[in-house]
Amino acid sequence: MATLTLTDVTKEFNSGQNNEVTAVDEVSMTIDDGEFLVLVGPSGCGKSTTLRMIAGLETVTNGDITLEDRRINGVSPANRDIAMVFQSYALYPHMTVRENMRFGLEESTTLEDDVIANTVTETATLMDISELLDRTPAELSGGQQQRVALGRAIVRDPAVFLMDEPLSNLDAKLRATMRTELQRIQADLDVTTVYVTHDQTEAMTMGDRIAVLDDGTLQQVGTPLECYHTPQNRFVAGFIGEPSMNFFNGKIKSRTFVAQQFSYPLSEKIQSAIGGTREITLGVRPEDVILHQDADDTIQANNHCFDCVVDVVEPVGESNHIYLQFATDNRSQSETFIATVSGMQTINSGDNVIVEIPPEGIHLFDTHNGTALMNRSLTDIGSVETPRLQ
Ligand code: ADP
Ligand code: MG
């Protein structure tokens, strides 16, 4: 039971000859008691460094880390009441599963032998690894090793779990199963958890809240749906969501957004959201792009509709990802953008279609600093509150 707080936490690595790397730059956030927070971002953005500072495996250059009301910057890893699970599992190869699980408890507590034995047995049941207790890590599959690594963290009953890409080495199917199972176990144990991943799908599906990190800097902290629907900047908009949001750069010219390939008239409401900014990036998610295969009069008259050509159709079963190009473009040079439509809709490469980019589906960003000036309207999808697992 614990609230974990990071205040302006910074990590500089000094690799000599003035080669200073700011791996983590003034990160501040509070992870609530019992919360499952996912720290997500591209490779090299500082996720592991952040986690290792919380664990005490890395010193903090500036800022404070507190657990409840206790500042833990200088506390040794063993005395932090924090358990960490690594991508590499880091099991002791010469010890059995039982010994691996006992070891942490023996090191960190003064419990009697029979209490330790019972705790190990109970945790093994929870993790469904009772059958494996007398095997060594070499006799286990990757998935089983991962369960043991998690079991070894859980058995210690810590105040905080830290997990660094713990599912990365598992195949896709097992990863999906373990995602759900981990969420269930975390909700059952109600232990404050920081889970690191570079995979936005894991972040979206697992986190009570997600914290998006880029280049050592925190970009946004919010529920998965807040980050998805109301990104604070272009980075978050592009990082969260698969396929990624489409972006078009352009300029505002007399109440119209003018990009290289198309002109898009703006309502007064949208103009006032933009204010005086003139260089704008328009974003639209693939599922908000509408494809018309037949052009009736209404569509012809709609000035948010554009003639396009289908470049590639990527079927994924329940939906098709349609890669599109503007008909006016020199097609060998132009970039494609994506619309996601129902898998039942028959569309072929080379088809001429009319693409509608509805004003209620667009996001607008300041091209220079990436700040979101306006996000998609949420009135047609209701509330974006994510219920927490109970
Ligand atoms: P992530 O886990 O998000 O992939 P890391 O936290 O491992 O990223 O690394 C963040 C940045 O810090 C990277 O630029 C990395 O090269 C650098 N870095 C990490 N550890 C060290 C170190 N021990 N010495 C110097 N630079 C490091
Ligand atoms: Mg890492």
Side-chain angles (χ1 to χ4, degrees), residues 13 15 21 23 42-49:
F13 287 110
S15 352
V21 179
S43 177
C45 73
K47 304 180 296 294
S48 295
T49 305

Side-chain angles (χ1 to χ4, degrees), residues 70-86:
R70 176 179 174 223
R71 185 173 182 274
I72 56 169
N73 288 43
V75 177
S76 78
N79 294 323
R80 288 192 184 198
D81 201 12
I82 288 175
M84 184 150 165
V85 181
F86 301 87

